[in-house]
Amino acid sequence: MRQVFIRFDACNIACEYCDTRADFENCRVEKTPGKGDFYYIENPISYELTEKVAKSFGRVHSYSLTGGEPLINAKFIKELSLKPLYLETNMTMPEEAEIIKNKVKFVAGDFKLSFAINNENYENIREATIRSFKILRNSKTRYTFAKIVVGRKIDKDEIYNNLESIRNYISHAVIQPVTPLEKAPARGELLNLQKELSEIVEVRIIPQTHKLLNFL
Protein backbone atom coordinates (compact mmCIF):
# COMPACT_ATOMS: atom_id res chain seq x y z
CA MET A 1 0.00 0.00 0.00
CA ARG A 2 1.18 3.54 -0.73
CA GLN A 3 1.71 5.94 2.14
CA VAL A 4 3.09 9.38 2.82
CA PHE A 5 5.74 8.89 5.47
CA ILE A 6 5.83 11.69 8.10
CA ARG A 7 8.74 11.18 10.48
CA PHE A 8 9.06 12.93 13.85
CA ASP A 9 12.58 13.17 15.27
CA ALA A 10 12.35 13.08 19.09
CA CYS A 11 11.76 10.00 21.26
CA ASN A 12 11.15 9.35 24.95
CA ILE A 13 13.15 6.11 25.07
CA ALA A 14 16.41 4.92 23.50
CA CYS A 15 16.24 1.50 21.86
CA GLU A 16 19.56 -0.11 21.03
CA TYR A 17 18.48 -0.73 17.41
CA CYS A 18 17.03 2.75 16.75
CA ASP A 19 17.63 3.99 13.19
CA THR A 20 16.50 7.60 13.63
CA ARG A 21 18.85 10.38 14.66
CA ALA A 22 17.48 13.15 16.85
CA ASP A 23 17.24 16.93 16.44
CA PHE A 24 16.75 17.44 12.72
CA GLU A 25 17.56 21.04 11.82
CA ASN A 26 15.47 20.73 8.66
CA CYS A 27 12.54 18.69 7.45
CA ARG A 28 13.63 16.58 4.46
CA VAL A 29 11.08 16.06 1.69
CA GLU A 30 11.48 13.65 -1.23
CA LYS A 31 10.08 15.24 -4.40
CA THR A 32 9.68 12.00 -6.37
CA PRO A 33 8.95 8.78 -4.47
CA GLY A 34 11.99 6.49 -4.56
CA LYS A 35 14.35 8.86 -6.39
CA GLY A 36 16.12 10.44 -3.45
CA ASP A 37 15.63 13.96 -4.83
CA PHE A 38 15.21 15.80 -1.54
CA TYR A 39 14.56 19.40 -0.67
CA TYR A 40 14.58 20.91 2.81
CA ILE A 41 12.20 22.96 4.95
CA GLU A 42 13.44 24.60 8.13
CA ASN A 43 12.06 23.13 11.35
CA PRO A 44 9.77 23.50 13.18
CA ILE A 45 7.33 22.95 10.32
CA SER A 46 3.70 24.00 10.81
CA TYR A 47 0.85 21.52 10.59
CA GLU A 48 -0.61 23.57 7.71
CA LEU A 49 2.57 23.17 5.66
CA THR A 50 2.84 19.53 6.68
CA GLU A 51 -0.63 18.94 5.26
CA LYS A 52 0.13 20.85 2.05
CA VAL A 53 3.27 18.81 1.38
CA ALA A 54 1.61 15.51 2.31
CA LYS A 55 -1.38 16.12 0.03
CA SER A 56 0.91 16.98 -2.91
CA PHE A 57 1.63 13.26 -3.37
CA GLY A 58 -1.93 12.56 -4.45
CA ARG A 59 -4.11 9.66 -3.42
CA VAL A 60 -2.57 7.28 -0.88
CA HIS A 61 -3.77 4.56 1.47
CA SER A 62 -2.86 6.58 4.57
CA TYR A 63 -0.51 9.09 6.14
CA SER A 64 2.03 7.30 8.31
CA LEU A 65 3.13 9.09 11.49
CA THR A 66 6.40 7.56 12.60
CA GLY A 67 9.52 8.51 14.49
CA GLY A 68 11.18 8.89 16.79
CA GLU A 69 7.98 8.87 18.79
CA PRO A 70 5.03 10.72 17.23
CA LEU A 71 3.04 10.88 20.47
CA ILE A 72 5.51 13.43 21.84
CA ASN A 73 3.75 15.69 19.32
CA ALA A 74 0.21 14.61 20.19
CA LYS A 75 -1.13 18.19 20.20
CA PHE A 76 0.37 18.74 16.72
CA ILE A 77 -1.22 15.52 15.46
CA LYS A 78 -4.59 16.53 16.91
CA GLU A 79 -4.57 19.61 14.64
CA LEU A 80 -3.97 17.64 11.44
CA SER A 81 -6.89 17.26 9.04
CA LEU A 82 -5.12 14.53 7.03
CA LYS A 83 -7.13 11.31 6.75
CA PRO A 84 -6.67 8.50 7.36
CA LEU A 85 -3.81 8.61 9.84
CA TYR A 86 -1.61 5.56 10.42
CA LEU A 87 0.20 5.84 13.76
CA GLU A 88 3.45 4.01 14.43
CA THR A 89 4.18 4.33 18.14
CA ASN A 90 6.20 2.77 20.95
CA MET A 91 3.01 2.72 23.05
CA THR A 92 4.69 4.12 26.18
CA MET A 93 2.78 7.44 26.43
CA PRO A 94 -0.81 6.66 27.45
CA GLU A 95 -1.76 10.26 28.35
CA GLU A 96 -0.77 11.41 24.85
CA ALA A 97 -2.51 8.40 23.32
CA GLU A 98 -5.71 9.61 24.97
CA ILE A 99 -5.36 12.97 23.20
CA ILE A 100 -5.29 11.51 19.68
CA LYS A 101 -7.26 8.28 20.09
CA ASN A 102 -10.11 9.56 17.91
CA LYS A 103 -7.78 10.92 15.21
CA VAL A 104 -6.08 7.73 14.05
CA LYS A 105 -7.53 5.02 11.83
CA PHE A 106 -4.61 2.58 12.03
CA VAL A 107 -2.24 1.87 14.93
CA ALA A 108 0.99 -0.11 14.65
CA GLY A 109 1.92 -0.33 18.32
CA ASP A 110 5.26 -1.57 19.57
CA PHE A 111 5.60 -3.72 22.65
CA LYS A 112 9.23 -3.12 23.56
CA LEU A 113 11.20 -5.98 25.08
CA SER A 114 13.56 -5.45 27.99
CA PHE A 115 16.68 -6.21 25.91
CA ALA A 116 15.94 -3.27 23.62
CA ILE A 117 15.48 -0.63 26.28
CA ASN A 118 17.98 -1.75 28.92
CA ASN A 119 16.08 0.36 31.44
CA GLU A 120 15.78 -0.40 35.15
CA ASN A 121 12.23 0.95 34.99
CA TYR A 122 11.12 -1.58 32.39
CA GLU A 123 8.12 -2.71 34.45
CA ASN A 124 6.81 0.87 34.44
CA ILE A 125 7.31 1.00 30.67
CA ARG A 126 5.50 -2.31 30.32
CA GLU A 127 2.51 -1.08 32.32
CA ALA A 128 2.35 2.14 30.29
CA THR A 129 2.40 0.05 27.12
CA ILE A 130 -0.54 -2.06 28.25
CA ARG A 131 -2.49 1.11 29.13
CA SER A 132 -1.76 2.59 25.71
CA PHE A 133 -2.96 -0.55 23.93
CA LYS A 134 -6.18 -0.39 25.94
CA ILE A 135 -6.71 3.26 24.94
CA LEU A 136 -5.86 2.66 21.26
CA ARG A 137 -7.42 -0.80 21.12
CA ASN A 138 -8.71 -2.44 17.97
CA SER A 139 -12.34 -1.48 17.31
CA LYS A 140 -14.94 -0.94 14.60
CA THR A 141 -13.36 2.44 13.79
CA ARG A 142 -9.68 1.72 14.43
CA TYR A 143 -7.40 -1.11 13.26
CA THR A 144 -4.73 -1.85 15.86
CA PHE A 145 -2.00 -4.46 15.84
CA ALA A 146 1.12 -5.09 17.89
CA LYS A 147 4.70 -5.23 16.70
CA ILE A 148 7.46 -6.95 18.68
CA VAL A 149 11.08 -6.56 17.58
CA VAL A 150 13.19 -9.58 18.48
CA GLY A 151 16.95 -9.90 18.69
CA ARG A 152 19.35 -12.82 18.60
CA LYS A 153 18.40 -14.05 22.07
CA ILE A 154 14.68 -14.75 22.41
CA ASP A 155 13.02 -14.67 25.83
CA LYS A 156 9.88 -16.63 24.97
CA ASP A 157 8.31 -16.19 28.39
CA GLU A 158 8.63 -12.40 28.25
CA ILE A 159 7.20 -12.22 24.73
CA TYR A 160 4.36 -14.63 25.56
CA ASN A 161 3.38 -12.75 28.72
CA ASN A 162 3.50 -9.37 26.98
CA LEU A 163 1.33 -10.57 24.13
CA GLU A 164 -1.09 -12.29 26.49
CA SER A 165 -1.58 -8.99 28.36
CA ILE A 166 -2.85 -7.18 25.23
CA ARG A 167 -4.53 -9.99 23.30
CA ASN A 168 -7.97 -8.41 23.68
CA TYR A 169 -6.80 -5.05 22.30
CA ILE A 170 -5.24 -6.10 18.97
CA SER A 171 -6.20 -7.67 15.66
CA HIS A 172 -2.91 -9.56 15.29
CA ALA A 173 0.78 -9.37 16.14
CA VAL A 174 3.86 -8.90 13.98
CA ILE A 175 7.21 -10.38 14.93
CA GLN A 176 9.93 -8.23 13.38
CA PRO A 177 13.52 -9.53 13.34
CA VAL A 178 15.88 -6.76 14.33
CA THR A 179 17.87 -4.92 11.64
CA PRO A 180 20.58 -5.62 10.59
CA LEU A 181 19.45 -9.20 10.08
CA GLU A 182 22.87 -10.48 11.20
CA LYS A 183 21.68 -9.67 14.74
CA ALA A 184 18.31 -11.36 14.26
CA PRO A 185 17.26 -14.85 15.36
CA ALA A 186 17.72 -17.82 13.03
CA ARG A 187 14.81 -18.60 10.70
CA GLY A 188 13.89 -21.75 12.58
CA GLU A 189 13.69 -19.87 15.88
CA LEU A 190 11.42 -17.25 14.35
CA LEU A 191 9.08 -19.90 12.95
CA ASN A 192 8.97 -21.77 16.27
CA LEU A 193 8.22 -18.52 18.08
CA GLN A 194 5.44 -17.74 15.61
CA LYS A 195 3.92 -21.19 16.16
CA GLU A 196 3.90 -20.84 19.95
CA LEU A 197 2.53 -17.30 19.97
CA SER A 198 -0.21 -18.25 17.53
CA GLU A 199 -1.94 -19.91 20.46
CA ILE A 200 -2.75 -16.36 21.64
CA VAL A 201 -3.40 -14.35 18.45
CA GLU A 202 -2.61 -14.46 14.75
CA VAL A 203 1.12 -13.84 14.34
CA ARG A 204 2.99 -12.70 11.23
CA ILE A 205 6.74 -12.40 10.61
CA ILE A 206 7.63 -9.21 8.72
CA PRO A 207 11.12 -7.65 8.52
CA GLN A 208 11.77 -3.94 8.01
CA THR A 209 10.92 -3.96 4.31
CA HIS A 210 11.99 -0.36 3.71
CA LYS A 211 15.47 -1.33 4.92
CA LEU A 212 15.60 -4.37 2.64
CA LEU A 213 14.51 -2.25 -0.33
CA ASN A 214 16.76 0.67 0.66
CA PHE A 215 13.86 3.13 0.86
CA LEU A 216 14.54 6.14 3.10
Side-chain angles (χ1 to χ4, degrees):
M1 61 188 183
R2 292 182 70 83
Q3 292 181 308
V4 173
F5 202 61
I6 303 172
R7 183 184 289 276
F8 296 85
D9 64 344
C11 190
N12 60 315
I13 56 177
C15 298
E16 68 169 32
Y17 48 74
C18 182
D19 61 357
T20 305
R21 65 182 181 86
D23 301 323
F24 286 91
E25 182 177 344
N26 295 299
C27 174
R28 189 176 69 160
V29 181
E30 190 174 33
K31 294 180 182 178
T32 312
K35 284 197 172 182
D37 49 351
F38 297 101
Y39 67 94
Y40 297 85
I41 301 171
E42 186 177 358
N43 276 321
I45 183 173
S46 67
Y47 64 84
E48 296 95 341
L49 185 52
T50 300
E51 290 180 345
K52 181 179 179 181
V53 173
K55 290 178 180 178
S56 70
F57 292 99
R59 184 177 180 180
V60 293
H61 169 272
S62 53
Y63 298 92
S64 175
L65 309 175
T66 187
E69 175 46 54
L71 288 183
I72 290 176
N73 299 280
K75 293 180 180 179
F76 180 94
I77 294 170
K78 190 176 181 180
E79 296 297 327
L80 294 175
S81 64
L82 297 170
K83 294 181 180 180
L85 293 179
Y86 185 111
L87 176 67
E88 298 187 57
T89 171
N90 64 31
M91 285 294 208
T92 63
M93 304 182 71
E95 288 79 13
E96 287 73 15
E98 190 72 44
I99 293 173
I100 56 83
K101 66 180 182 181
N102 295 322
K103 293 286 293 187
V104 294
K105 178 72 172 179
F106 306 96
V107 178
D110 280 5
F111 205 131
K112 301 293 185 183
L113 300 180
S114 55
F115 89 90
I117 300 175
N118 193 25
N119 189 311
E120 61 183 15
N121 296 317
Y122 178 72
E123 192 56 36
N124 292 336
I125 291 173
R126 183 178 185 275
E127 290 303 315
T129 299
I130 296 171
R131 286 173 57 202
S132 294
F133 270 106
K134 186 175 182 179
I135 293 167
L136 296 173
R137 61 188 175 274
N138 191 57
S139 68
K140 292 181 179 179
T141 59
R142 183 173 50 241
Y143 187 82
T144 300
F145 68 93
K147 183 184 72 177
I148 301 176
V149 178
V150 294
R152 177 75 68 183
K153 295 182 179 179
I154 294 178
D155 186 334
K156 290 185 179 181
D157 289 339
E158 180 184 1
I159 298 172
Y160 192 97
N161 290 335
N162 286 353
L163 198 53
E164 176 69 32
S165 69
I166 60 169
R167 64 183 301 174
N168 295 325
Y169 307 141
I170 59 175
S171 61
H172 67 278
V174 170
I175 298 298
Q176 185 175 95
V178 71
T179 304
L181 293 179
E182 290 77 16
K183 296 183 179 181
R187 288 172 292 181
E189 288 185 278
L190 284 172
L191 292 173
N192 288 335
L193 179 64
Q194 180 190 37
K195 182 179 180 180
E196 292 185 28
L197 296 179
S198 293
E199 297 177 4
I200 306 175
V201 294
E202 177 189 341
V203 177
R204 307 170 187 177
I205 301 173
I206 304 176
Q208 281 190 299
T209 52
H210 72 283
K211 289 288 187 180
L212 295 177
L213 297 171
N214 197 29
F215 287 165
L216 298 177

